[in-house]
Amino acid sequence: MSKVFVFDHPLIQHKLTYIRDKSTGTKEFRELVDEVAALMAFEITRDLPLQDVTVETPVGPAKSKKIAGKKLGLVPILRAGLGMVDGILRMIPAARVGHVGLYRDPETLKPVEYYVKLPADVEEREFIVIDPMLATGGSAVEAINSLKKRGATTIKLMCLIAAPEGVEIVKEAHPDVDIYLAAMDEKLNEKGYIVPGLGDAGDRLFGTK
Ligand code: PRP
Ligand code: URA
């Protein structure tokens, strides 16, 4: 069964407060999402396996560590997931980036896929699917389906804010996928928005409303 982690680091929680605030403008919103994504990347990579290596310092040989194991792939769900990519890449610069394009039909709230492009060596990578919002869970489930269909076997899901309903849907559909959050909110409203959430993540990031 999926494990759910809510990062309670004070810096993440502090920045999330400003992200939620409706008086935060597009520029600051974008910067804060980027910063929180970087901090979450730091936490999510805590369990990466290390291997022993020896390097030559100017003084002599030093026994040290390097990250071992699978190479990483990031998969932002378009559009809003794009806002988290650069922050994570600052922490994990060697990660490759795939894209899954989905939008939520405003009537049915069901995800509609319009674009998928993943790194060529899908089977050899550990993927982190990223999206600021996990609402009904439809988009995350569909994005993970899309990755698995193309051969991905190791997947984590990282979101800023989730509704309990969406978390349950992802756990049910993908029990092998652990979920990493900055906050678990109260519920969804009748339009499928997270309450209290932060509003429409894509619109706030890109200034489209
Ligand atoms: C938002 C958000 C998620 C999705 C979450 O995207 O970024 O992808 O909704 O909702 P769900 O859990 O109910 O599927 P949206 O569909 O608004 O598209 P956009 O990023 O292009 O604005
Ligand atoms: N998508 C968003 O951008 N915000 C929500 O609250 C739900 C879905």
Side-chain angles (χ1 to χ4, degrees):
M1 185 45 84
S2 317
K3 292 194 275 289
V4 180
F5 301 90
V6 181
F7 294 138
D8 59 359
H9 193 289
L11 286 176
I12 294 176
Q13 294 305 314
H14 176 83
K15 288 173 193 289
L16 189 61
T17 300
Y18 290 93
I19 289 173
R20 288 184 188 276
D21 189 336
K22 68 178 183 187
S23 70
T24 299
T26 301
K27 175 178 178 287
E28 205 189 341
F29 185 89
R30 205 180 284 144
E31 288 167 358
L32 287 161
V33 168
D34 171 89
E35 287 168 13
V36 168
L39 293 166
M40 290 183 77
F42 185 79
E43 294 278 344
I44 204 173
T45 48
R46 210 172 256 291
D47 62 349
L48 286 183
L50 291 170
Q51 68 185 57
D52 294 324
V53 293
T54 304
V55 284
E56 287 295 324
T57 80
V59 181
K63 287 198 167 78
S64 198
K65 309 270 185 202
K66 264 189 182 173
I67 291 171
K70 284 192 168 188
K71 296 176 283 184
L72 290 173
L74 306 180
V75 181
I77 301 179
L78 307 180
R79 294 177 295 168
L82 290 175
M84 299 170 72
V85 172
D86 287 349
I88 302 174
L89 283 178
R90 280 203 302 282
M91 295 293 131
I92 318 169
R96 297 295 158 93
V97 183
H99 296 86
V100 175
L102 293 171
Y103 70 87
R104 244 180 23 159
D105 181 292
E107 299 301 323
T108 65
L109 301 185
K110 298 279 174 245
V112 181
E113 188 176 279
Y114 58 87
Y115 185 75
V116 181
K117 182 80 180 175
L118 301 178
D121 51 356
V122 174
E123 297 86 357
E124 291 154 39
R125 288 191 182 266
E126 172 172 334
F127 284 97
I128 307 175
V129 173
I130 52 182
D131 193 326
M133 310 308 277
L134 176 56
T136 66
S139 302
V141 166
E142 198 51 40
I144 297 166
N145 281 342
S146 213
L147 259 71
K148 286 186 175 175
K149 212 161 59 190
R150 289 167 177 81
T153 54
T154 314
I155 303 172
K156 292 175 173 172
L157 174 65
M158 176 169 143
C159 304
L160 296 189
I161 302 179
E165 297 92 323
V167 168
E168 284 312 308
I169 293 287
V170 173
K171 282 168 77 171
E172 219 167 275
H174 297 293
D176 55 314
V177 174
D178 290 337
I179 303 170
Y180 298 80
L181 307 171
M184 174 87 91
D185 275 10
E186 206 181 310
K187 58 178 184 188
L188 293 175
N189 69 13
E190 66 290 349
K191 289 185 179 151
Y193 274 80
I194 300 174
V195 181
L198 54 73
D200 188 301
D203 283 342
R204 293 197 63 191
L205 265 173
F206 298 111
T208 39
K209 216 171 231 171

